[in-house]
């Protein structure tokens, strides 16, 4: 079958590619992607075929409107696809990417990395993301293997491989019930292992009972303004982070970071916040006004609206018969992305920190507002606290940027001085 004609997208887009689907060697308690195996039951292996790989690399490069093309390989656990798979992917990128600058990012739990992997990743300039939740006692709370055994030591061995081969790496840390009250401990640990760029992902997973209730039009939890809001856990799983704890987690880390680590260690939430305060694009979808340009690519070529919306309703098509550029700019995907802003309740539209939050991710919007409107984010209380807490610092760093200075200069200004100056604006 000849490949579908390429459609060049109107703007750059991002694909989160699942070369092994949801297959993983770990069994993390909170993983939302393991269940996706049910979408492909009875359809054979989960490793991306050569046919799909060739079609994907060719069309993904050709569909991008810019000179730079960013590939992101995720899972499941992408190392299970094998080194030969990625060797071929790199060769295909060279074949189809003449005249382009190709980048590769690779998100892994790190447990299967060895020197052969390290050499390959270094040689081909892969940026590696390591999933680790903090020190041993925190990490092993939920991140276990199929035999329910701890994985911390294996992850640290993987980090050592990357360091030994001088592979650039960052970290992805989920924030959940077990680590959300130990923010500074988690941050210091990530700093100590050499993570120059830190991503925090809040775990918010709804219970089956809550999902059924929502489908019936019932909303079990009160809005954040409710005096008992932080005690209502009826909609989320036991391991989900609680809003108050997540707000405290971010604030405590920010207070340490802003006094000693600005410009040395980068935290995704802080970078996005500074961009929004400076009137620039946030750089990540959750804090952008709209979304819809970060799709998920499954092992068989199916493309979905978002990594968190891999459900039949949000399937855009298959890259074997439709160009990704056409899918990303399709009316359905456009409506999906616009809905993030269009569906904001009045309570959010009138919020003082809307410019920094934009309602965060739609998948977390399952509360009702004080006015009774559906669509309030479960983490609203956390973000109100966090964005209010950092306002003075962000105003100061934004002013430094406007004056042509580095934001890190804030560390040379006495805290009380920039607090007073920001409040006086």
């Amino acid at each position: 079958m000849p490949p579908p004609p390429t459609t060049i997208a109107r703007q750059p887009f991002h694909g989160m590619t699942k070369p092994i689907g949801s297959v993983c060697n770990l069994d993390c308690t909170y993983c939302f992607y393991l269940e996706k195996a049910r979408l492909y039951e009875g359809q054979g292996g989960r490793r991306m075929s050569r046919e799909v790989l060739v079609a994907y690399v060719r069309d993904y490069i050709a569909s991008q409107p810019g000179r730079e093309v960013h590939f992101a390989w995720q899972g499941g656990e992408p190392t299970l696809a094998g080194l030969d798979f990625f060797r071929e992917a790199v060769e295909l990128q060279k074949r189809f990417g003449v005249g382009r600058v190709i980048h590769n990012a690779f998100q892994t739990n790190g447990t299967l990395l060895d020197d052969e992997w390290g050499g390959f990743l270094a040689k081909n300039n892969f940026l590696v993301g390591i999933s680790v939740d903090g020190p041993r006692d925190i990490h092993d709370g939920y991140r276990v293997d199929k035999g329910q055994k701890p994985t911390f030591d294996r992850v640290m061995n993987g980090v050592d491989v990357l360091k030994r081969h001088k592979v650039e790496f960052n970290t992805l840390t989920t924030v959940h019930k077990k680590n959300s009250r130990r923010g500074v401990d988690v941050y210091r640990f990530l700093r100590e292992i050499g993570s120059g760029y830190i991503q925090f992902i809040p775990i918010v997973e709804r219970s089956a009972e809550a999902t059924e209730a929502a489908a019936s039009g019932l909303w079990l939890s009160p809005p954040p303004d409710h005096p008992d809001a932080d005690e209502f856990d009826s909609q989320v799983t036991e391991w989900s982070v609680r809003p108050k704890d997540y707000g405290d987690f971010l604030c405590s880390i920010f207070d340490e970071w802003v006094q000693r680590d600005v410009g040395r260690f980068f935290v995704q939430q802080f970078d996005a916040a500074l961009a929004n305060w400076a009137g620039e694009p946030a750089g990540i979808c959750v804090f952008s006004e709209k979304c819809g340009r970060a799709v998920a690519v499954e092992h068989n070529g199916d493309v979905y609206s978002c990594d968190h919306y891999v459900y039949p309703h949000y399937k855009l098509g298959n890259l074997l018969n439709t160009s990704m550029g056409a899918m990303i700019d399709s009316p359905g995907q456009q409506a999906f992305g616009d809905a993030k802003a269009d569906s904001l309740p009045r309570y959010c539209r009138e919020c003082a920190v809307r410019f920094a939050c934009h309602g965060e991710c739609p998948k977390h919007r399952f509360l009702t507002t004080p006015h009774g409107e559906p669509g309030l984010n479960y983490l609203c209380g956390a973000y109100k606290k966090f964005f209010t807490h950092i306002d003075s610092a962000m105003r100061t760093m934004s002013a430094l940027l406007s004056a042509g200075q580095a934001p890190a200069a804030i560390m040379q200004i006495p805290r009380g001085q920039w607090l007073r100056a920001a409040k006086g604006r």
Side-chain angles (χ1 to χ4, degrees), residues 48-70:
M48 184 177 282
S49 69
R50 186 176 191 279
E51 177 191 18
V52 174
L53 177 61
V54 172
Y56 171 57
V57 173
R58 181 197 65 80
D59 186 67
Y60 187 66
I61 292 173
S63 296
Q64 296 288 350
R67 183 166 178 262
E68 296 196 11
V69 181
H70 295 261

Side-chain angles (χ1 to χ4, degrees), residues 309-350:
Y309 285 83
V310 178
Y311 299 101
H313 179 71
Y314 296 97
K315 180 179 169 181
L316 299 175
N318 188 286
L319 60 84
L320 290 176
N321 49 51
T322 307
S323 174
M324 292 189 68
M327 287 187 267
I328 198 76
D329 286 335
S330 66
Q333 183 66 0
Q334 188 69 43
F336 174 86
D338 290 346
K340 184 182 181 196
D342 296 343
S343 63
L344 273 181
R346 187 184 73 183
Y347 182 78
C348 296
R349 295 177 190 277
E350 296 174 352

Side-chain angles (χ1 to χ4, degrees), residues 159-331:
V159 171
D160 288 342
V161 167
L162 298 177
K163 290 180 177 179
R164 189 159 59 246
H165 289 272
K166 296 181 171 54
V167 177
E168 184 180 358
F169 75 94
N170 57 39
T171 52
L172 187 154
T173 298
T174 60
V175 186
H176 45 67
K177 190 76 174 286
K178 290 186 183 294
N179 65 2
S180 57
R181 296 185 180 183
R182 293 180 58 184
V184 173
D185 291 341
V186 170
Y187 175 64
R188 289 175 179 172
F189 166 80
L190 297 173
R191 190 172 63 196
E192 287 166 7
I193 67 171
S195 178
Y197 187 79
I198 297 167
Q199 301 176 67
F200 292 120
I201 307 295
I203 293 296
V204 179
E205 297 295 336
R206 301 183 70 187
S207 64
E209 292 81 2
T211 303
E212 292 170 5
S216 303
L218 302 175
W219 304 93
L220 305 182
S221 295
D225 292 355
H226 191 288
D228 298 322
D230 291 326
E231 303 304 320
F232 277 66
D233 300 332
S234 56
Q235 288 216 54
V236 297
T237 57
E238 185 275 333
W239 52 82
S240 293
V241 67
R242 275 40 181 179
K244 181 181 183 303
D245 292 341
Y246 188 51
D248 291 343
F249 179 93
L250 293 175
C251 289
S252 65
I253 293 172
F254 182 84
D255 287 345
E256 174 143 334
W257 175 83
V258 77
Q259 295 181 70
R260 56 160 291 168
D261 290 331
V262 182
R264 296 176 58 239
F265 294 89
F266 297 87
V267 179
Q268 188 181 54
Q269 280 87 345
F270 305 165
D271 281 359
L274 181 55
N276 277 332
W277 254 267
E280 299 293 332
I284 54 174
C285 56
V286 293
F287 295 131
S288 298
E289 183 177 13
K290 297 182 179 183
C291 59
R293 303 201 74 80
V295 296
V297 182
E298 260 289 346
H299 68 287
N300 69 338
D302 286 345
V303 179
Y304 294 86
S305 290
C306 171
D307 186 44
H308 289 280
Y309 285 83
V310 178
Y311 299 101
H313 179 71
Y314 296 97
K315 180 179 169 181
L316 299 175
N318 188 286
L319 60 84
L320 290 176
N321 49 51
T322 307
S323 174
M324 292 189 68
M327 287 187 267
I328 198 76
D329 286 335
S330 66

